[in-house]
Amino acid sequence: MIDRVLRLYPADYRSTYGEEIVDVHREMTTDLPRAARLRADADLAAHALRVRLRLDSASGGGRFFAVAAPFALAAAAVGNGLVLTRWYAGLVISPAPAWLQLTHMDLAEALHLMCSLAVCVGTIVALAGRWVLGVAAAVGGLLGTAVQGAVDAPLVQGGWMTSAVALLTVAVVLACPVDRRPGEGLSAAAAAVAGIGWFPVVVADTGAFGVTTDYGVWPMLVLAVAGAALAVRRRSSGAREIGAMAVASAPLTVAALAGAESELLPLTGMFLVLPLAAALGTCAIALRRRH
């Protein structure tokens, strides 16, 4: 089995580290039961595929997705959190009793809300430190949303675009290398982005706040500023951080595009201006610090 798994590594990597990998793997799995050996083989195969795809912790791709993953979860939580709060607002505003609305709720709508809840709860759990458990719940919710968007497009805002973005978000989160999972600092930053991106939109939706958040620009702005701040803190050029935020923003972008309708052109321009301004600001600050 180990010989077949070893072939998954690139040839140059296999020739350099192959013997060491085999020796360590056999030493670790010699006295393990069959189920544990299969898990070890699966972990080794996953590492081999990461190395082949250049998504391991030592590669640029791995470091990129290590930054993007928590913010992709945060963006997905904002979008799905808005689905839940807007549903609840409609429940409260409706003249019909809440219990009557709940008992007559369509099964597909109930499943959609459950998927959104799984994404939100999973994100909270993941960013609170239980990454594997939280990601499992969030990924389950995103996959459920992807299926519903493809099967019942009118139910899910954005239809097939939401399905594609849900799958993209799953890929971004799972691409994070195992040994580069976000620490407390990055998790706290992503949680702050989710809260700051979600709460003002909910307040504006109630009509109790005088500033509009039309077209979903506010959550996008929060992500762009977070990327710039992260780049300044790391004293980098900002390319990786802004790029990671751009990838992470996909759920917010599709939700905004789905709600924009005829205002597509100004909305697209706004999405281009925000990250560009953040990138330029980051580069200017970084150059100033170097001099």
Side-chain angles (χ1 to χ4, degrees), residues 115 140-153 155-156 159 162-164 166-167:
C115 289
L142 288 168
L143 291 177
T145 300
V147 171
Q148 285 195 305
V151 174
D152 191 3
L155 176 67
V156 180
T162 299
S163 297
L167 294 176

Side-chain angles (χ1 to χ4, degrees), residues 13 17 27 31 68 95 122 129 137 142 174 193 216 228 241 256-257 265:
Y13 192 94
Y17 302 105
E27 182 179 349
D31 298 323
L142 288 168
L174 296 182
V193 164
E241 290 78 9
L257 290 173
L265 185 58

Side-chain angles (χ1 to χ4, degrees), residues 215-225 228 242 267-282:
Y215 315 139
V217 169
W218 171 253
M220 295 289 294
L221 177 60
V222 173
L223 269 178
V225 171
I242 295 298
L267 174 66
T268 305
M270 182 64 72
F271 284 156
L272 293 175
V273 167
L274 291 177
L276 180 60
L280 291 176
T282 304

Side-chain angles (χ1 to χ4, degrees), residues 73 76 80 114-126 130-145 170 173-174:
L73 277 179
N80 286 277
M114 290 298 295
C115 289
S116 294
L117 182 62
V119 174
C120 294
V121 172
T123 299
I124 293 171
V125 172
R130 301 294 298 275
W131 181 259
V132 175
L133 180 62
V135 164
V139 165
L142 288 168
L143 291 177
T145 300
V170 169
V173 173
L174 296 182

Side-chain angles (χ1 to χ4, degrees), residues 40-159:
D41 290 341
D43 290 340
L44 186 62
H47 181 258
L49 291 175
R50 285 187 175 277
V51 173
R52 182 172 287 278
L53 296 173
R54 298 188 178 183
L55 293 177
D56 58 307
S57 58
S59 66
R63 293 193 294 271
F64 175 85
F65 285 110
V67 176
F71 292 97
L73 277 179
V78 170
N80 286 277
L82 291 175
V83 169
L84 292 173
T85 51
R86 285 167 179 167
W87 166 79
Y88 179 74
L91 186 72
V92 172
I93 293 172
S94 175
W99 64 268
L100 185 62
Q101 296 181 64
L102 291 174
T103 54
H104 287 78
M105 180 183 294
D106 183 71
L107 177 59
E109 183 183 5
L111 290 174
H112 181 48
L113 294 173
M114 290 298 295
C115 289
S116 294
L117 182 62
V119 174
C120 294
V121 172
T123 299
I124 293 171
V125 172
L127 297 181
R130 301 294 298 275
W131 181 259
V132 175
L133 180 62
V135 164
V139 165
L142 288 168
L143 291 177
T145 300
V147 171
Q148 285 195 305
V151 174
D152 191 3
L155 176 67
V156 180
Q157 185 183 36

